[in-house]
Amino acid sequence: MILFRQLLCRASPMAAIALAFLGCSDNAEIPAEKPILNREDLDRASLKIVAGQTDEARAMLEKLNRKFPDNTEIIELLGLACSEKGDYLEAAFWYEQAADRHPNGASFLKKAGECYELAGEDEFATLSYSAYVALEPDDGHVWHKLYQLRARAAQAPGLPEEKLEQLAKEAINAINKAKVAITPDDALEIARLLLKINILPVAESYFEEVS
C-alpha cells in the first residue's frame, strides 16, 4: 500500500489529491445509531407517579432524560412527578424546559406558573403566566390570576409611588382582559387600586357596587 501511494504521488498532483481522499475514507467513522425510546418505560414511570412512588419515577425519568434530553413527554412527566411530591420549584423548572422544546409549549408555561404560585414565588409566576397569555390571550382564568398576583404585589408596604402605579395599572389591565364576573372582593380591591392611581370617579363606582 505504501509503494502504491508513492507511485501515485510521482504520477501527478491529481493522483495525490485522490490519495488524500482515499486516506480519509479509510479512517471514516460510521455514525452511531440513535437510541429509540421504549414507551413502556414511560408507562411504568407514569404508573409509579399515580401510585405515589414519585422518587422511583423521578429516578427512572431522569435516566431517560439523559438519553433523550429533548423528549418533552419525559420532561413533562418529570414536572408532574416533582409537583406530586410538592417540589414545586423543580416542577416549574421542568415545565419551563418542556415549553422551550415543544413547538406548542403554551400549556407548559401555564403549568410552570401554577407551580411557581404554589411555591409562593409570585414574581416568577407572573412571568410564566404573562408568557402564557402572550400565546393564549383569550384565557380569562389566567388573566384573573395575573390580576390577583399584581394586586397582591401592590399591597407590599413601602413601594415607591412609581412602582405602585405600575402594579395597579397592570392589575386593572389584567382584570379587564379576564372578562369574568367580578366578585365583591374583586370590586373592593379594584376600587382600592384605582384610588392609588387617583382615578376617583371609577373607584367610587366600584365602592358603590359592594356597598
Side-chain angles (χ1 to χ4, degrees), residues 110 114 117 129 132-133 136-148 174 177-180:
K110 183 177 179 179
E114 289 168 348
E117 200 172 356
Y129 285 144
Y132 168 76
V133 293
E136 299 289 343
D138 295 328
D139 192 329
H141 177 66
V142 174
W143 277 114
H144 193 265
K145 282 179 172 287
L146 280 168
Y147 153 71
Q148 291 174 322
K177 291 186 176 181
K179 299 177 184 177
V180 296

Side-chain angles (χ1 to χ4, degrees), residues 99-156:
D100 286 343
R101 287 164 172 75
H102 199 281
N104 299 307
S107 63
F108 299 119
L109 291 169
K110 183 177 179 179
K111 289 178 181 180
E114 289 168 348
C115 288
Y116 278 129
E117 200 172 356
L118 288 167
E121 294 289 345
D122 286 2
E123 286 301 316
F124 286 109
T126 298
L127 290 173
S128 292
Y129 285 144
S130 296
Y132 168 76
V133 293
L135 299 170
E136 299 289 343
D138 295 328
D139 192 329
H141 177 66
V142 174
W143 277 114
H144 193 265
K145 282 179 172 287
L146 280 168
Y147 153 71
Q148 291 174 322
L149 288 165
R150 296 290 81 187
R152 188 157 61 236
Q155 294 172 4

Side-chain angles (χ1 to χ4, degrees), residues 14-198:
M14 291 300 295
I17 294 171
L19 179 60
F21 279 106
L22 180 63
C24 291
S25 63
D26 287 345
N27 298 322
E29 293 183 3
I30 299 173
E33 291 185 6
K34 290 184 178 181
I36 299 173
L37 175 64
N38 184 352
R39 296 202 62 83
E40 290 182 0
D41 292 336
L42 286 180
D43 294 339
R44 281 194 289 271
S46 297
L47 289 172
K48 286 187 179 295
I49 294 171
V50 172
Q53 300 171 342
T54 53
D55 288 337
E56 292 179 33
R58 284 167 69 173
M60 291 174 61
L61 292 164
E62 285 169 1
K63 184 177 179 180
L64 288 172
N65 178 248
R66 287 192 289 272
K67 290 179 68 176
F68 306 96
D70 293 322
N71 186 292
T72 53
E73 289 183 87
I74 296 170
I75 298 171
E76 182 180 13
L77 284 174
L78 275 164
L80 178 60
C82 293
S83 178
E84 289 294 314
K85 184 71 182 292
D87 294 337
Y88 297 119
L89 286 178
E90 189 171 351
F93 165 78
W94 287 117
Y95 286 133
E96 286 179 337
Q97 295 296 305
D100 286 343
R101 287 164 172 75
H102 199 281
N104 299 307
S107 63
F108 299 119
L109 291 169
K110 183 177 179 179
K111 289 178 181 180
E114 289 168 348
C115 288
Y116 278 129
E117 200 172 356
L118 288 167
E121 294 289 345
D122 286 2
E123 286 301 316
F124 286 109
T126 298
L127 290 173
S128 292
Y129 285 144
S130 296
Y132 168 76
V133 293
L135 299 170
E136 299 289 343
D138 295 328
D139 192 329
H141 177 66
V142 174
W143 277 114
H144 193 265
K145 282 179 172 287
L146 280 168
Y147 153 71
Q148 291 174 322
L149 288 165
R150 296 290 81 187
R152 188 157 61 236
Q155 294 172 4
L159 286 173
E161 186 175 340
E162 185 177 337
K163 180 66 174 177
L164 179 59
E165 182 176 347
Q166 176 193 340
L167 291 169
K169 287 180 177 178
E170 288 175 358
I172 293 165
N173 176 62
I175 196 64
N176 287 336
K177 291 186 176 181
K179 299 177 184 177
V180 296
I182 294 174
T183 66
D185 287 342
D186 287 338
L188 186 60
E189 186 57 43
I190 293 167
R192 289 170 178 161
L193 291 168
L194 290 166
L195 280 177
K196 289 176 180 179
I197 55 177
N198 294 317

